[in-house]
Amino acid sequence: MKDFRHNEEEIFKTPEDYFNRSAAEIMAATVGENLDLSASTSGIRKQIQPGAKVIRINARVWIAATAAVTVGLVFFLAGREETQTTQGGLALNELNDEVLHEVILEANDELFAEYLGAQLDSISFVTEPEESVQQQNTRNEGKDVSFDHVTDEELIRYLTEEDFDHDLDF
Amino acid sequence: MIDESKMIALLFEQRQKEKAFEQVLMHYQKPVYYYIRKFLVDHDDTDDVCQQVFIKAWKGLGNFKGESKIGTWLYRIAYNESMTFIEKKKRIAGVALDKVESELPGVLMSDDLFTGDEIQAKLQSAVAALPDKQRAVFIMKYFEDRRYEDIAEITGTSVGALKASFHHAVHKIELFMKNNTTW
């Protein structure tokens, strides 16, 4: 059987002497070593000049310029994302198989408790039309509508069996 | 082979850290480059991201506590940088989320620096067409033969989620290899 795992250098070629040149450029950009970069052609290489001081000055100018653009871009993207989420209710592109499986596999007790908490919260938020005390007494007469007798365990079992499994049935 | 604990100790020494960093760079430059290359396919993209990884590592030396291996730390930066690069590319291009992935096989086949034979090209195309996270997991598990625990540390994902992602990736690659098509 053919093994594809250990031939990366054979199939992904690099320009001649790439690693030596790249290492020199990285060292120049980090520890500021003054290395010969005459062969430099692209990427961060364009920003790097021989000599640490020059590099640092360039870096500051570069950072200041890009920071302004980045801040603007962040606000723009944040606004756009919020609009999309508001319109769609949920970012549909997040609902792929992978995410869903991650949700299931990472659904530990804490997440489960959080889910149940949300369910319980939603129950408490169910609003009924207001009725007078007299109407309530009439309606409740002879009936036990209190949930006091329902234990937490029963409620959790109910939610687990009736809702949770169905909602997350993949 | 570098002495991991000795190297970490030197990285924390003010007077030795530049020399130590150079040795780390020499030792990890190639593996990190090929790790990123398998992600991004294109050499120029890989070159830029790879350099960023080591620059960030240098700048972030103060945050490195030496609790994980140097390699794991570098791969974690490389993974994050690669993902950030892909996301940026998607945003700048204003394309749909899966568009960049679907273009990668085409990039691969038109890359003068790719010299694989037909079956290798097909496998790499299949890998390139996977969604980002699945591609990352598949590369680390299959090509680099890493343990799930190590991959979890690099990606910040649970082992269970990684296994699920790997399972999906393998299934999609099987389909791709059989049908020679995208999904």
Side-chain angles (χ1 to χ4, degrees), chain A residues 10-153:
Chain A
E10 288 171 27
I11 62 169
F12 288 119
K13 296 289 182 191
T14 54
E16 197 180 340
D17 201 31
Y18 163 71
F19 287 106
N20 285 336
R21 280 188 293 115
S22 180
E25 289 156 6
I26 291 167
M27 289 305 289
T30 52
V31 302
E33 281 190 8
N34 192 355
L35 297 166
D36 178 16
L37 299 170
S38 54
S40 299
T41 52
S42 67
I44 67 164
R45 296 181 285 282
K46 287 174 183 169
Q47 302 164 40
I48 301 170
Q49 301 293 329
K53 285 180 183 174
V54 177
I55 292 165
R56 284 180 187 133
I57 291 165
N58 283 349
R60 280 175 193 161
V61 173
W62 177 250
I63 289 164
T66 52
V69 175
T70 307
V71 168
L73 194 61
V74 165
F75 276 105
F76 169 73
L77 291 173
R80 198 174 64 162
E81 196 162 310
E82 193 174 323
T83 307
Q84 285 173 344
T85 307
T86 308
Q87 286 172 348
L90 183 66
L92 290 178
N93 56 32
E94 291 177 5
L95 279 178
N96 57 36
D97 285 355
E98 191 186 350
V99 172
L100 291 175
H101 276 271
E102 282 184 17
V103 168
I104 298 167
L105 290 163
E106 290 180 340
N108 52 23
D109 292 343
E110 197 177 314
L111 190 64
F112 185 60
E114 197 177 310
Y115 174 82
L116 288 180
Q119 291 293 310
L120 291 167
D121 285 346
S122 69
I123 290 170
S124 68
F125 282 118
V126 171
T127 53
E128 298 289 341
E130 283 189 22
E131 56 185 350
S132 67
V133 175
Q134 192 178 1
Q135 283 174 315
Q136 282 180 24
N137 289 339
T138 308
R139 183 170 56 76
N140 294 341
E141 203 170 329
K143 291 190 291 184
D144 183 6
V145 294
S146 166
F147 283 95
D148 292 346
H149 67 285
V150 181
T151 64
D152 288 349
E153 288 75 17

Side-chain angles (χ1 to χ4, degrees), chain A residues 2 5 7-15 18-19 22-23 25 30-31 43-45 93 98 105-106, chain B residues 29 33-34 37-38 43 47-48 51 58 97 113-117 120 124 133 142 158 160-161 164 168:
Chain A
K2 198 163 182 173
R5 286 175 295 182
N7 58 355
E8 56 195 15
E9 292 187 33
E10 288 171 27
I11 62 169
F12 288 119
K13 296 289 182 191
T14 54
Y18 163 71
F19 287 106
S22 180
E25 289 156 6
T30 52
V31 302
I44 67 164
R45 296 181 285 282
N93 56 32
E98 191 186 350
L105 290 163
E106 290 180 340
Chain B
Q29 186 191 15
Y33 170 87
Y34 283 112
R37 180 81 183 266
K38 277 176 275 194
H43 165 73
D47 180 28
D48 285 343
Q51 295 199 347
W58 172 255
L97 276 174
L113 294 171
F114 179 77
T115 60
D117 60 23
Q120 284 166 333
Q124 292 297 338
K133 282 189 181 175
Y142 175 73
S158 73
H168 282 299

Side-chain angles (χ1 to χ4, degrees), chain B residues 71-132:
Chain B
T72 305
W73 175 56
L74 287 173
Y75 279 104
R76 191 159 59 228
I77 299 172
Y79 172 79
N80 290 334
E81 285 297 306
S82 300
M83 288 295 174
T84 304
F85 180 87
I86 291 169
E87 286 303 315
K88 268 187 196 166
K89 203 169 180 179
K90 286 170 184 170
R91 281 178 182 165
I92 290 169
V95 295
L97 276 174
D98 58 353
K99 189 77 169 15
V100 172
E101 284 91 355
S102 66
E103 283 175 351
L104 278 176
V107 172
L108 179 76
M109 298 316 294
S110 62
D111 188 350
D112 293 337
L113 294 171
F114 179 77
T115 60
D117 60 23
E118 191 185 343
I119 188 71
Q120 284 166 333
K122 202 171 170 181
L123 175 63
Q124 292 297 338
S125 294
V127 174
L130 289 170
D132 300 339

Side-chain angles (χ1 to χ4, degrees), chain B residues 13 59 124 182:
Chain B
E13 265 188 48
K59 287 179 179 170
Q124 292 297 338
T182 53

